[in-house]
Amino acid sequence: MTTPYIQLDTNMPRRLFVPLDKIKGDKVEQLIEKVLTCNQVFIYWQQENVKEWKSIAISPIDEGFGYRLNNSLWENSFQIIQIDNKGYVQNLPTSNKDNVTTHLDIAFNLSTTGNECGLYLSWNPKGVTSKVHGLYLVNNINQIEQPVKQDLCGKQYAVLAIPRIAFFPLENDKEPPKTPPDDGALNVFKGLFGIDERWQFRLKKPFLVLNKSVKPDANSRAFFLALDFGTTASTIACLPEQGIDAEDKPIFTPLHHLCSWTHTTLLPLLNEKMKPNGQISSRSFTWGQENDAIDGLFSPVPRHVRAKRFQLATEDNDKREATPGIIYVDDQNEFDELVTTHHECLIGFEAESFLTKKSSSNQINPKNFVFAPKRLIGTDANSSRVQEMLEGFKKVYKQQHPVEVYLQEFLDETLNKAILSGALKSRLSSLCYSYPVTWTKLQRQSLEVLLKSALNKSFFHEFLKTQQVSDEMSPLFCLDEASAAFLGLILKRFQGLEGSDLLRTFSPFEPDIEKACQYPKTMQVLVIDCGGGTTDMVLLSITDAGDKSNTPVVAKIYKHFAIDKGGIEVTRRIAEHLKSLLRYSETLSDEYLRTNLFDEKIKDSFLGDTSEPLELYRWRFCLNLYEQSELIKLALSQTDSTTINWADVVKNLSLPDFNSQTLQPTIEKASLQKWVSETYQHLINQLKLWFAEENQPALDCLLLSGRSSQLAGFREAIINAIPEEKRPLAIDFAEVGNYALEPRNDENQHEEFTAKSLVCKGLALNYWNTKAAFGKRPLECEPIDETRRTRAIGVLAENTSLRPQDHFDPEIELLIDADNQPIELEKEYLLTLDKATAKGFYLGINFGGKIKEGMILSEYPDPPQPFLRIDIDGGIKENFEKLIFYFQQVASTEIKLSKIEMYKKEGESNPIIKENIAMKPYEDTEVALGSALKVHLQIEDFRMTGRIHSLDADE
């Protein structure tokens, strides 16, 4: 007879609930009642030698919660065995007791309405001692049926023997017995009168937790991942490689409400009939979702875990299905699970839940949060600037980049969700991802490097076809976010179309057959993708050369533009307004209104005459402003006016008497529309310039994607920027709410998630189209042409605080002009710095170059974004007379620093020369010239810096 087994899909850690049967003792209600009066409980674990027991004292039992059992209680009952090729058990030397808990962690739970007990097992197949292929749960090792099945032979397994577990409450002053109450005559006699104190439990039936061996091969069913890594939130889909179901309909399954394995408990259904092969069924329960208990008896997360992990679901989570871009790491290792061998942090919904529940605590460290990790792409996380922002994070993760840490956890949560949803197949063929149009090549390379590292360290690694991450990261399957959003619309609205069908669908009816058959045909599409941190705008020209050409239908980006602003900037504008209202009402003095977390000596300062740490106060205030501003932003997108909850703005703050009666009680939609207009003004101005060109054709389709596209006033601003004669038909103006022409029964996501998942859909369709069978004519999106000088690069102006301004320095010529000419790879671009007190400079990048003569700076549609920062350490000490930097352009958004010449004295003819400078994708490049030179991108997120307002010297 085969030992019953549960099949697991991966080697990632899992939490299992193992039901036990009560074999002795009165009703559990009486046990709990006695426990509450005795205040002392001992748990006994019977050893394989049935005459021997081990015991430990635990805290009094609370109803419905579990307690962790110290491994000293059960470590002698845990061992690693080898099953030989003939199917027989071979005992191995005793496992290293120091490493037992890297494999297994145990807690227990008593039901409050029945006579049952259960064990929570946190089970890691890899552990430290060895990788095992399964976990036997038996009363004793002899219960393993031998010989075992052939496919289990030649492997190692863990065995946990659970002969019996006993509970014994005892009065405080008494010494516990070495064994629990036995079957002596006195106890048997007591049992006859309903006062049996022999509370003992045992395993319902032995079973095996078996890890499915993942052996990727070319013939197995493959899947791929489509990732939209966003600034404020991310979405991902786990999809079949072939992309169609039995009825030839495209399959798209976005994974939402991601959570760590720690929130999911697997329950074996031991009472149900097992399959002929011995497999038994199981159910999964996720903490904080529909099921808060197992059959109404047990909590899916034991008490000792609940004390440090955080429930995912809140009232709003169901509306925000994309995973928030937030990390919290604790330098006390509070969130580490014993069975895991690496440091764990909180991300996404759990980090957000922790932030909500603990923000009022004096123990929380604001520097341990990382908001919007995507904004750190292309920066050196070890630079002094970023180090200050990531102080708590770097204490734990040292050299690791926050994006790598976030993505590794995100991928593991994805795997957990894919297992629960049944989307997991046997081989990972590819990971497709999107990137903002505004990103430089350096940033795209950085994301690729970090994604490869995260994938390699995640549990998805065992699903790789070749075990080589680089094989799964082909740039063929990656797209800019705007182009991906358009393909997502095609999948959403038409369930995927071949390219020629797409043009016929959008083209007006042509009654003349001869003209209808003329090729090439083209259509014009404007896509604006509005995210939390960036907003991308592209004009696509889609061309069909005709069926006879046997070529794909090609979508080419012929114009593109982007701004490094999005929904977060609108939130900041609202927060700035709230601070202004407080300031001008004179309700609070300036010292209570500042939020800048980078003031000098802030760590050693206190608020006024109080003992409140100034840094913690400001962080709470900044967080309150952010949360209230987000609520206002969302409310005003749906109503004409909303109330300002001033109590929430000042919650958990040490304030003098605060009276909100004199403060403005509401805020109007017109104010939000004004801030939206100002935030996106440069984008709107650029759009007007495009459509002012005589040769700009009319649009066949206009798509607004991304969650920020729903902001009040944004839609109207876009429509008004396009001349009426060049607008598409109303049906071809796609926005949230009408992506699909009619409701689909298989999609019930909220509109916000629908907007967010559009890019994921496009990545999926792009993958399927790129791998399309011969003879089909799919729609293919060409990436942006990087071989021409389409971006201007130059030195940015700086203010007195050496902060970059939104225009190029008028006294310095552009390094590279955006003349759309082919890039000359060997050409050197010189930049001379001859100021002895120089500290460095910023290089900025934009599409249009310097402001045109006669144009007002505030009306310039294309302010340059900080591109690179050149720091000169020691320049202020007059260590040089002149520095000459030699740059070479590699791509439209990529330059490399090829050489530096340093002249120490005026008229010197033999400078110090440094050549062949290797610039790394996301690390500082340091060159020793008597002064150190560092290159990195400027990064800013007000939730991390607290710089909301000019009051905070954020000029």
Side-chain angles (χ1 to χ4, degrees):
M1 181 179 176
T2 302
T3 301
Y5 70 92
I6 296 175
Q7 182 81 62
L8 302 183
D9 299 295
T10 73
N11 283 318
M12 75 183 301
R14 291 291 190 86
R15 197 184 312 287
L16 308 165
F17 183 80
V18 181
L20 304 178
D21 275 339
K22 184 173 77 69
I23 55 175
K24 293 181 180 180
D26 286 337
K27 293 181 180 180
V28 176
E29 291 94 327
Q30 293 176 340
L31 170 59
I32 294 176
E33 184 179 340
K34 186 162 186 177
V35 165
L36 295 176
T37 59
C38 289
N39 294 322
Q40 193 175 197
V41 180
F42 288 85
I43 296 184
Y44 291 80
W45 189 296
Q46 192 176 34
Q47 307 300 295
E48 288 244 36
N49 175 3
V50 296
K51 293 183 179 180
E52 183 181 347
W53 294 75
K54 279 194 170 186
S55 67
I56 59 170
I58 64 166
S59 302
I61 302 172
D62 290 339
E63 296 184 8
F65 292 107
Y67 286 80
R68 182 175 171 269
L69 302 182
N70 190 285
N71 60 295
S72 63
L73 185 70
W74 52 267
E75 63 186 0
N76 290 338
S77 300
F78 179 83
Q79 61 179 306
I80 307 294
I81 62 169
Q82 175 80 33
I83 295 182
D84 63 24
N85 292 329
K86 295 182 180 180
Y88 291 92
V89 173
Q90 304 293 319
N91 289 326
L92 295 176
T94 304
S95 301
N96 185 346
K97 291 184 178 181
D98 293 337
N99 292 325
V100 163
T101 52
T102 65
H103 274 297
L104 199 64
D105 189 28
I106 303 177
F108 79 91
N109 191 339
L110 283 172
S111 69
T112 59
T113 58
N115 294 323
E116 291 184 324
C117 169
L119 294 179
Y120 290 104
L121 306 183
S122 296
W123 161 235
N124 184 0
K126 292 188 176 182
V128 170
T129 54
S130 61
K131 177 180 177 180
V132 297
H133 292 267
L135 171 65
Y136 277 98
L137 296 161
V138 294
N139 295 117
N140 60 72
I141 197 169
N142 296 325
Q143 283 188 314
I144 299 176
E145 299 288 343
Q146 301 180 66
V148 303
K149 294 192 305 179
Q150 186 61 39
D151 57 350
L152 301 182
C153 295
K155 300 172 183 176
Q156 290 186 9
Y157 296 85
V159 179
L160 179 67
I162 315 172
R164 291 188 186 184
I165 293 177
F167 300 94
F168 186 60
L170 196 65
E171 294 179 5
N172 289 337
D173 298 333
K174 294 184 178 181
E175 286 292 324
K178 291 185 178 180
T179 61
D182 57 19
D183 295 336
L186 178 60
N187 288 320
V188 172
F189 180 75
K190 286 182 177 180
L192 296 176
F193 292 92
I195 51 175
D196 191 349
E197 295 182 348
R198 298 168 297 164
W199 286 294
Q200 294 185 18
F201 300 82
R202 69 180 176 190
L203 200 63
K204 278 183 178 288
K205 67 171 66 173
F207 64 97
L208 167 65
V209 182
L210 183 63
N211 296 302
K212 182 179 179 181
S213 180
V214 180
K215 295 181 178 178
D217 61 77
N219 298 318
S220 61
R221 290 189 67 195
F223 67 96
F224 69 97
L225 299 172
L227 168 66
D228 177 15
F229 176 40
T231 304
T232 55
S234 299
T235 55
I236 194 166
C238 183
L239 304 162
E241 192 172 36
Q242 67 275 18
I244 57 172
D245 61 16
E247 299 178 356
D248 291 340
K249 294 180 180 179
I251 297 172
F252 181 80
T253 311
L255 301 174
H256 48 83
H257 288 132
L258 301 188
C259 63
S260 167
W261 67 271
T262 59
H263 288 76
T264 303
T265 301
L266 190 69
L267 172 68
L269 304 177
L270 300 176
N271 293 328
E272 293 192 5
K273 185 178 180 180
M274 67 180 181
K275 299 176 182 177
N277 64 356
Q279 187 171 357
I280 53 179
S281 301
S282 60
R283 292 171 63 188
S284 292
F285 296 84
T286 301
W287 179 30
Q289 307 239 342
E290 291 182 6
N291 303 291
D292 193 38
I294 298 174
D295 291 338
L297 302 179
F298 303 105
S299 162
V301 181
R303 175 175 176 164
H304 78 281
V305 173
R306 282 189 175 220
K308 62 180 182 177
R309 306 299 300 209
F310 288 84
Q311 192 171 355
L312 302 180
T314 65
E315 207 168 303
D316 298 324
N317 272 157
D318 290 335
K319 300 178 183 178
R320 298 180 300 104
E321 296 163 312
T323 303
I326 179 175
I327 305 173
Y328 180 78
V329 58
D330 185 78
D331 48 17
Q332 303 300 315
N333 304 338
E334 180 184 355
F335 305 111
D336 288 356
E337 294 284 334
L338 289 175
V339 298
T340 54
T341 55
H342 67 281
H343 185 83
E344 288 194 285
C345 63
L346 307 185
I347 71 161
F349 286 117
E350 191 176 12
E352 203 171 58
S353 181
F354 173 81
L355 179 61
T356 301
K357 294 178 181 179
K358 293 288 187 178
S359 61
S360 60
S361 170
N362 284 325
Q363 304 301 316
I364 196 169
N365 184 356
K367 294 295 181 68
N368 287 3
F369 281 95
V370 181
F371 294 97
K374 181 180 177 180
R375 287 188 170 223
L376 296 170
I377 291 285
T379 69
D380 174 27
N382 298 313
S383 70
S384 58
R385 295 170 185 270
V386 181
Q387 280 275 12
E388 189 177 3
M389 231 188 305
L390 304 177
E391 182 180 302
F393 179 90
K394 300 305 289 184
K395 280 183 182 178
V396 175
Y397 284 101
K398 311 300 181 189
Q399 301 301 312
Q400 277 190 276
H401 197 285
V403 170
E404 178 191 359
V405 172
Y406 178 87
L407 288 173
Q408 181 185 341
E409 294 288 338
F410 181 82
L411 288 170
D412 283 344
E413 290 191 2
T414 299
L415 180 57
N416 181 54
K417 187 69 177 186
I419 292 169
L420 297 176
S421 65
L424 195 66
K425 308 302 176 186
S426 63
R427 176 170 58 88
L428 177 61
S429 62
S430 185
L431 194 162
C432 317
Y433 60 91
S434 59
Y435 50 83
V437 170
T438 188
W439 267 16
T440 64
K441 188 174 181 180
L442 175 70
Q443 288 172 296
R444 297 198 299 273
Q445 288 175 337
S446 297
L447 177 58
E448 183 179 350
V449 168
L450 294 167
L451 256 177
K452 284 179 180 178
S453 179
L455 183 59
N456 195 39
K457 292 177 180 178
S458 78
F459 286 97
F460 262 120
H461 181 262
E462 62 182 302
F463 289 89
L464 299 183
K465 176 181 176 182
T466 62
Q467 300 294 309
Q468 296 296 319
V469 176
S470 57
D471 296 341
E472 278 70 31
M473 303 286 286
S474 170
L476 287 173
F477 307 131
C478 304
L479 277 179
D480 67 273
E481 291 166 356
S483 298
F486 175 66
L487 286 179
L489 174 68
I490 301 307
L491 184 60
K492 174 82 174 176
R493 181 169 283 195
F494 304 111
Q495 290 78 62
L497 286 176
E498 286 202 34
S500 54
D501 293 333
L502 175 65
L503 266 78
R504 282 195 289 268
T505 300
F506 279 95
S507 298
F509 175 70
E510 177 54 70
D512 189 318
I513 297 178
E514 184 176 343
K515 288 183 179 180
C517 295
Q518 289 178 356
Y519 287 90
K521 296 182 183 296
T522 61
M523 65 176 288
Q524 310 298 316
V525 180
L526 173 64
V527 183
I528 304 178
D529 183 61
C530 312
T534 59
T535 304
D536 299 340
M537 180 168 67
V538 300
L539 272 169
L540 296 171
S541 179
I542 303 175
T543 303
D544 181 7
D547 293 338
K548 294 181 180 179
S549 67
N550 201 30
T551 58
V553 175
V554 176
K556 185 175 181 179
I557 297 174
Y558 70 96
K559 285 184 179 178
H560 60 283
F561 183 76
I563 57 173
D564 198 23
K565 292 180 180 179
I568 289 179
E569 173 60 16
V570 176
T571 303
R572 189 197 68 78
R573 292 296 304 275
I574 299 172
E576 181 181 50
H577 177 68
L578 295 181
K579 284 188 66 175
S580 295
L581 292 178
L582 284 169
R583 186 184 188 191
Y584 295 125
S585 69
E586 299 183 355
T587 306
L588 295 171
S589 62
D590 282 0
E591 68 173 328
Y592 290 100
L593 297 179
R594 294 188 182 277
T595 53
N596 187 357
L597 297 175
F598 287 86
D599 274 354
E600 197 172 343
K601 298 181 179 180
I602 188 174
K603 290 184 180 179
D604 304 319
S605 303
F606 297 92
L607 180 66
D609 298 328
T610 72
S611 59
E612 173 87 9
L614 186 58
E615 182 182 36
L616 186 58
Y617 170 86
R618 289 190 180 181
W619 180 75
R620 285 181 189 157
F621 188 25
C622 183
L623 186 62
N624 290 350
L625 286 166
Y626 168 72
E627 291 177 344
Q628 183 64 199
S629 300
E630 277 287 299
L631 293 174
I632 289 172
K633 182 174 74 173
L634 295 175
L636 290 180
S637 294
Q638 301 175 12
T639 185
D640 292 334
S641 178
T642 190
T643 301
I644 302 172
N645 190 333
W646 289 110
D648 281 353
V649 171
V650 298
K651 68 180 179 182
N652 302 321
L653 299 179
S654 301
L655 295 175
D657 294 338
F658 177 77
N659 183 4
S660 63
Q661 298 300 316
T662 60
L663 290 168
Q664 179 178 313
T666 60
I667 191 168
E668 306 301 316
K669 177 178 283 191
S671 297
L672 177 63
Q673 291 171 329
K674 173 179 176 290
W675 297 319
V676 167
S677 174
E678 292 171 353
T679 298
Y680 295 101
Q681 189 59 55
H682 297 314
L683 187 94
I684 302 300
N685 291 345
Q686 186 63 47
L687 190 60
K688 290 178 179 178
L689 291 176
W690 282 357
F691 282 93
E693 298 174 5
E694 292 184 5
N695 59 349
Q696 174 60 48
L699 294 173
D700 296 290
C701 179
L702 169 58
L703 167 63
L704 299 183
S705 66
R707 296 187 297 178
S708 295
S709 67
Q710 303 172 75
L711 288 171
F714 183 78
R715 177 188 187 277
E716 293 74 14
I718 295 297
I719 289 292
N720 293 334
I722 303 172
E724 188 172 353
E725 67 276 10
K726 294 187 178 181
R727 299 173 190 169
L729 298 174
I731 196 173
D732 295 326
F733 178 16
E735 57 183 325
V736 177
N738 77 338
Y739 289 151
L741 294 178
E742 57 184 28
R744 300 249 306 278
N745 294 329
D746 60 335
E747 293 198 6
N748 57 4
Q749 292 92 18
H750 293 90
E751 288 187 352
E752 183 177 326
F753 187 62
T754 301
K756 182 62 183 172
S757 65
L758 206 60
V759 170
C760 260
K761 291 178 186 288
L763 290 170
L765 186 58
N766 181 59
Y767 181 87
W768 291 323
N769 286 350
T770 305
K771 308 233 353 166
F774 178 77
K776 290 191 174 183
R777 302 185 61 238
L779 173 66
E780 290 187 359
C781 283
E782 289 187 354
I784 295 170
D785 185 1
E786 288 276 355
T787 64
R788 293 182 174 274
R789 294 192 291 261
T790 57
R791 307 279 188 102
I793 300 174
V795 177
L796 291 177
E798 297 180 10
N799 65 7
T800 55
S801 301
L802 301 182
R803 294 284 302 278
Q805 302 299 285
D806 58 358
H807 60 278
F808 291 114
D809 192 321
E811 298 181 3
I812 303 177
E813 291 293 322
L814 286 176
L815 197 65
I816 297 169
D817 203 356
D819 56 11
N820 206 37
Q821 294 301 305
I823 290 171
E824 302 172 70
L825 297 176
E826 301 301 321
K827 183 176 179 179
E828 290 183 325
Y829 299 87
L830 275 63
L831 184 62
T832 301
L833 200 67
D834 54 8
K835 298 177 181 178
T837 59
K839 291 184 178 180
F841 55 90
Y842 286 94
L843 289 182
I845 185 169
N846 74 352
F847 295 89
K850 288 190 174 185
I851 187 171
K852 304 299 185 290
E853 188 175 349
M855 185 179 288
I856 301 173
L857 186 61
S858 61
E859 295 179 354
Y860 186 49
D862 188 15
Q865 304 296 320
F867 179 43
L868 292 175
R869 168 67 187 174
I870 309 296
D871 274 334
I872 304 174
D873 182 15
I876 198 169
K877 298 178 182 178
E878 301 184 7
N879 288 328
F880 66 90
E881 178 66 28
K882 181 170 65 174
L883 285 176
I884 302 179
F885 299 90
Y886 291 78
F887 294 95
Q888 290 178 304
Q889 189 170 21
V890 180
S892 61
T893 61
E894 181 184 17
I895 61 172
K896 68 177 182 179
L897 181 58
S898 59
K899 184 171 67 173
I900 305 174
E901 291 181 355
M902 183 178 75
Y903 297 84
K904 286 194 171 185
K905 298 178 181 179
E906 188 174 356
E908 185 179 6
S909 58
N910 295 313
I912 295 175
I913 299 175
K914 292 290 183 178
E915 298 182 285
N916 302 318
I917 300 169
M919 294 175 64
K920 300 176 183 179
Y922 61 92
E923 297 180 12
D924 276 353
T925 300
E926 189 167 319
V927 183
L929 281 169
S931 59
L933 178 126
K934 295 183 179 181
V935 180
H936 64 83
L937 284 167
Q938 178 74 3
I939 186 69
E940 179 110 331
D941 186 323
F942 80 87
R943 290 170 297 174
M944 296 180 69
T945 65
R947 295 185 180 119
I948 294 175
H949 196 279
S950 57
L951 181 63
D952 302 306
D954 185 26
E955 300 170 349

